[in-house]
Amino acid sequence: MTDQTPHTPDNSGRKYWLDNPKNVDKVYWSVIVVSVLLFFADALYDKHPEFGIEKVFGFYGIYGFVACVGLVLAAKGLRLLLMRGENYYDDKTKGDS
Amino acid sequence: MVLGIPPGLFLIAGALLVPLFRGRWRQMYMLFLPLAGLWCLVDGQSGTFFAFTFMEYEIVPVRVDPLSLIFGYIFHIAAALSVVYAWHNDDIVEQMAGLAYAGSGIGAVFAGDLITLFVYWEAMAVTSVFLIWARRTEASYAAGMRYLIIQVGSGVLLLSGAILMAHETGSIAFEKMTLGSLATWLILIAFGIKCAFPFMHNWLQDSYPEATVTGTVFLSAFTTKCAVYALARGFPGEELLIYVGAAMTAFPIFYAVIENDLRRVLAYSLNNQLGFMVVGVGIGTTLAINGAAAHAFAHILYKALLFMSMGAVLYRVGTVKGSELGGLYKSMPFTTVFCIIGAASISAFPLFSGFIAKSLTLSAVAHEGYLAIWMILLFASAGVFHHSGIKIPYFAFFAHDSGKRCKEAPLNMLIAMGITAFMCIAIGVYSPWLYSLLPYPVEYQPYTPSHVIGQYQLLMFSALAFAVLMRFKIYPPELKSVNLDFDITYRKWLPAIYRGMINLTRDGWQSILEDLRRGVQRVVAYMFRHHGPEGILARTWPTGSMALWVAVLLGGILLLYYV
């Protein structure tokens, strides 16, 4: 079914760009910079709102951020209620997928 | 029609001949089937074909119109792409099941009456289950069984509805219905099961991740989109669907955030995507139906692409659990890029296919003034990006390097992913192409500054939320786990209730038996006391007592005789 190659640790020593934590920081900060730029881009064009709430400056950005933080925190809370061991239904009924 | 054979049936009949071919010839033959089917649809004339009358009812095996055509096109395309993706796999069961399943789905969208629809509906269930069983694990066997029972059950409801409908109206034509009678409710529930409405959804998350690497790609395309088509045909403008659809967009994303099995995350996200289409059907305006059809078209491609990329990971690494993966971009760079293109498409980034499709539905909802629904869809859009757009590629290919090193996906998988990825971008960049296929004329401009910047804001701030939550280690880590969903009712509770009842009845029956036994023992003991060796009636010889009783009887008869 699957054609696995042996999982050997990478001994080639090849370094990738993202292996350097400093570059991960660069990605992080560029997300912030782009977000801020997009937020203020709201001043540059005429909106055609269908609903009043869309007129709020940076509405989509604020809503997206709040929605996602809320989503993750709520889902994290749901884990307390819903999470069970991997073999909850039966030792055999979960494949290794 | 290919060779005068109805679309769909052509693939089913063609699937039967697969064993006649070997090696490369079989690969070519399997690709030829959907491409030939597609070729013959391209200049498809609208109308009904092969109609005949059976027991006073008109059976219409093929009805071609713009709504069925767009689903017909994409189903053929999906079948062809899935075939290429599965080229390396020479499991004859999967090959035949996959083609026959695609054929059944295609047959269903061209069905002009409810009985034909029912036949293809059940054919889809029976053929597709082999794509799950072909995994040949105990887990896939059990999941396939549950899947089959639910899918066939949906068909039974559809047939019941169709029979009632025929009784009430004298027609079995598959046209727009108004919800009200029992017949229409049964049909709606039958559609709802296959469309994974809330509380009827769990077969999807249960079975798709248990199917084979290549089987899941087939599965993701047909069953649920066929149900969307059926809803768009049967219940456009049914207000109830707006609320059902909105619920579908929202609740699965919570599960998707905490689910560890990445193919199951995709199954939850598939459920969420169906919600958008159901809302579109519920709104029912021409813009909204166009939105639902466009979304189905685009969605089949990017969802297949995502399942393909996770399938490639499963194929090479042997697992798609987020907790086990990470850093695979080093081993599978092409798969990583294709996965990101699929992720950008499902997240509806401008210039990707999801954007030009989802904008139609969102605009239709806004035009009709449903503010709360619109806010939910916007929340769901941000959520889609969060779990399908970021979580899937991040935990599989980046995140903490798991140290796993493997080969890149096989060439045929890369070709299938490459073509699908190309289509996702092409559709997004050149919107008039998809719009020209939609059931109603389109006057819509997705690329306005308002749309584009709004969408970018929504997406980038969602990414920002992810980045910040990761940075401060608030984001829930991937954990080996199972999350309880509605399937607990039939996997745990109902069996527990059943076993409880069995125990109860068994105990009850045993105490009844014991009581009876005790009663019999008492009677026997009583008899023994009187008739046993020490009993009062056993003191004389039996012959003596018999002579006495005979004398009593004769005396009685003598008395009666004189009376």
Side-chain angles (χ1 to χ4, degrees):
Chain A
M1 184 56 240
T2 56
D3 179 20
Q4 300 167 28
T5 43
H7 308 140
T8 47
D10 192 12
N11 295 324
S12 63
R14 186 174 164 191
K15 277 288 175 191
Y16 290 80
W17 189 74
L18 276 175
D19 284 340
N20 185 348
K22 276 187 187 156
N23 291 329
V24 177
D25 283 353
K26 280 183 196 161
V27 174
Y28 176 70
W29 284 107
S30 52
V31 170
I32 293 178
V33 170
V34 172
S35 299
V36 170
L37 288 177
L38 278 168
F39 186 80
F40 290 106
D42 250 14
L44 302 178
Y45 67 97
D46 288 330
K47 288 189 174 186
H48 303 288
E50 300 267 2
F51 299 112
I53 195 166
E54 284 181 87
K55 289 180 198 148
V56 175
F57 193 85
F59 163 74
Y60 284 93
I62 297 166
Y63 189 68
F65 188 83
V66 172
C68 278
V69 171
L71 167 68
V72 170
L73 295 182
K76 211 175 165 182
L78 275 177
R79 263 199 171 160
L80 300 176
L81 199 67
L82 300 173
M83 195 167 78
R84 296 290 185 277
E86 225 174 359
N87 299 328
Y88 177 72
Y89 282 111
D90 186 342
D91 292 14
K92 293 166 196 155
T93 58
K94 283 290 145 201
D96 185 27
S97 62
Chain B
M1 317 295 135
V2 190
L3 308 169
I5 305 172
L9 205 55
F10 175 68
L11 259 73
I12 298 174
L16 296 176
L17 302 181
V18 168
L20 298 181
F21 298 88
R22 289 273 175 277
R24 287 250 172 259
W25 286 105
R26 185 185 289 175
Q27 295 180 342
M28 288 303 144
Y29 172 70
M30 286 178 56
L31 180 60
F32 162 78
L33 289 175
L35 290 183
L38 180 63
W39 178 257
C40 297
L41 274 187
V42 166
D43 55 348
Q45 298 289 318
S46 290
T48 56
F49 304 92
F50 305 104
F52 61 95
T53 308
F54 179 71
M55 287 173 33
E56 298 174 18
Y57 294 106
E58 173 142 47
I59 306 281
V60 184
V62 179
R63 177 239 328 257
V64 181
D65 67 4
L67 184 60
S68 52
L69 264 180
I70 184 172
F71 282 85
Y73 293 145
I74 189 60
F75 279 8
H76 279 98
I77 296 170
L81 291 169
S82 306
V83 163
V84 174
Y85 183 77
W87 259 353
H88 65 280
N89 181 3
D90 53 5
D91 183 338
I92 187 86
V93 174
E94 269 193 80
Q95 290 172 333
M96 292 177 70
L99 281 174
Y101 168 51
S104 311
I106 291 163
V109 298
F110 287 108
D113 67 275
L114 291 168
I115 298 301
T116 310
L117 181 69
F118 162 76
V119 171
Y120 284 120
W121 201 256
E122 291 292 38
M124 264 196 291
V126 175
T127 50
S128 58
V129 74
F130 286 97
L131 299 171
I132 301 166
W133 284 340
R135 185 94 177 265
R136 296 186 173 84
T137 60
E138 281 193 46
S140 66
Y141 175 75
M145 227 22 167
R146 291 191 289 273
Y147 169 85
L148 187 61
I149 290 169
I150 293 168
Q151 297 292 309
V152 169
S154 157
V156 171
L157 290 176
L158 175 59
L159 182 64
S160 316
I163 292 170
L164 281 176
M165 180 82 104
H167 186 69
E168 281 168 17
T169 64
S171 161
I172 54 165
F174 180 28
E175 296 295 348
K176 185 177 186 308
M177 293 169 249
T178 321
L179 205 52
S181 65
L182 178 62
T184 49
W185 274 103
L186 286 172
I187 293 171
L188 180 71
I189 293 170
F191 293 170
I193 291 174
K194 286 220 187 202
C195 200
F197 280 6
F199 304 114
M200 308 173 191
H201 64 281
N202 245 155
W203 60 267
L204 202 170
Q205 293 86 353
D206 182 19
S207 62
Y208 284 13
E210 298 297 340
T212 64
V213 166
T214 49
T216 309
V217 177
F218 272 102
L219 287 168
S220 73
F222 302 103
T223 301
T224 48
K225 261 61 73 186
C226 191
V228 167
Y229 163 80
L231 287 171
R233 171 74 66 190
F235 299 97
E238 179 56 60
E239 198 182 358
L240 176 66
L241 293 179
I242 300 173
Y243 306 107
V244 172
M248 285 166 76
T249 60
F251 88 87
I253 59 181
F254 292 94
Y255 277 96
V257 169
I258 52 175
E259 177 59 52
N260 187 27
D261 183 322
L262 296 183
R263 291 207 301 171
R264 191 160 278 122
V265 173
L266 288 177
Y268 276 112
S269 121
L270 170 51
N271 209 170
N272 144 292
Q273 295 285 300
L274 293 169
F276 282 93
M277 300 172 215
V278 172
V279 169
V281 171
I283 297 279
T285 57
T286 54
L287 179 62
I289 297 292
N290 274 343
H295 204 154
F297 193 102
H299 159 93
I300 286 176
L301 292 171
Y302 56 65
K303 184 54 77 179
L305 180 55
L306 288 167
F307 270 120
M308 284 177 189
S309 65
M310 286 303 110
V313 169
L314 176 60
Y315 183 73
R316 284 304 193 204
V317 183
T319 181
V320 280
K321 284 180 182 155
S323 55
E324 314 281 304
L325 298 174
L328 284 178
Y329 77 96
K330 297 173 182 176
S331 311
M332 308 177 86
F334 289 105
T335 308
T336 307
V337 170
F338 294 140
C339 179
I340 290 173
I341 291 173
S345 304
I346 196 172
S347 312
F349 266 93
L351 299 181
F352 291 88
S353 60
F355 177 70
I356 69 154
K358 200 161 37 179
S359 301
L360 293 170
T361 310
L362 278 168
S363 294
V365 171
H367 282 327
E368 302 305 307
Y370 287 94
L371 176 62
I373 300 293
W374 183 81
M375 295 283 278
I376 292 174
L377 296 193
L378 216 53
F379 164 69
S381 301
V384 172
F385 177 50
H386 207 83
H387 63 73
S388 278
I390 303 178
K391 173 174 170 160
I392 292 279
Y394 181 80
F395 283 105
F397 299 110
F398 301 99
H400 166 73
D401 190 343
S402 62
K404 288 185 163 69
R405 296 293 177 268
C406 57
K407 281 196 282 187
E408 177 57 276
L411 183 63
N412 64 297
M413 285 189 178
L414 291 177
I415 292 172
M417 286 192 273
I419 298 172
T420 317
F422 172 78
M423 292 184 77
C424 286
I425 296 173
I427 290 171
V429 171
Y430 185 66
S431 58
W433 183 71
L434 177 58
Y435 287 175
S436 72
L437 300 177
L438 296 180
Y440 302 102
V442 182
E443 288 172 20
Y444 187 81
Q445 182 47 258
Y447 290 109
T448 62
S450 197
H451 273 143
V452 172
I453 294 182
Q455 183 69 5
Y456 265 125
Q457 274 189 4
L458 186 75
L459 295 176
M460 279 317 290
F461 275 80
S462 305
L464 181 66
F466 183 85
V468 169
L469 291 168
M470 270 291 170
R471 188 91 173 175
F472 293 96
K473 302 199 184 322
I474 301 169
Y475 198 87
E478 296 293 283
L479 296 175
K480 286 187 176 182
S481 60
V482 164
N483 296 305
L484 301 186
D485 198 347
F486 192 70
D487 59 350
I488 192 174
T489 50
Y490 53 85
R491 292 175 71 180
K492 277 274 179 190
W493 294 347
L494 284 182
I497 292 170
Y498 171 75
R499 272 195 298 275
M501 300 236 296
I502 291 287
N503 287 342
L504 216 68
T505 29
R506 196 178 53 209
D507 291 352
W509 177 242
Q510 246 153 23
S511 61
I512 289 171
L513 276 184
E514 250 162 53
D515 285 352
L516 278 175
R517 215 172 286 140
R518 211 170 296 136
V520 170
Q521 275 166 357
R522 273 220 299 273
V523 170
V524 169
Y526 177 82
M527 300 278 279
F528 192 79
R529 206 162 63 236
H530 294 284
H531 295 271
E534 303 299 319
I536 196 162
L537 293 173
R539 281 183 195 155
T540 50
W541 288 94
T543 41
S545 81
M546 199 158 75
L548 175 72
W549 284 112
V550 169
V552 171
L553 267 174
L554 285 175
I557 290 167
L558 206 64
L559 265 172
L560 280 173
Y561 184 74
Y562 282 112
V563 171

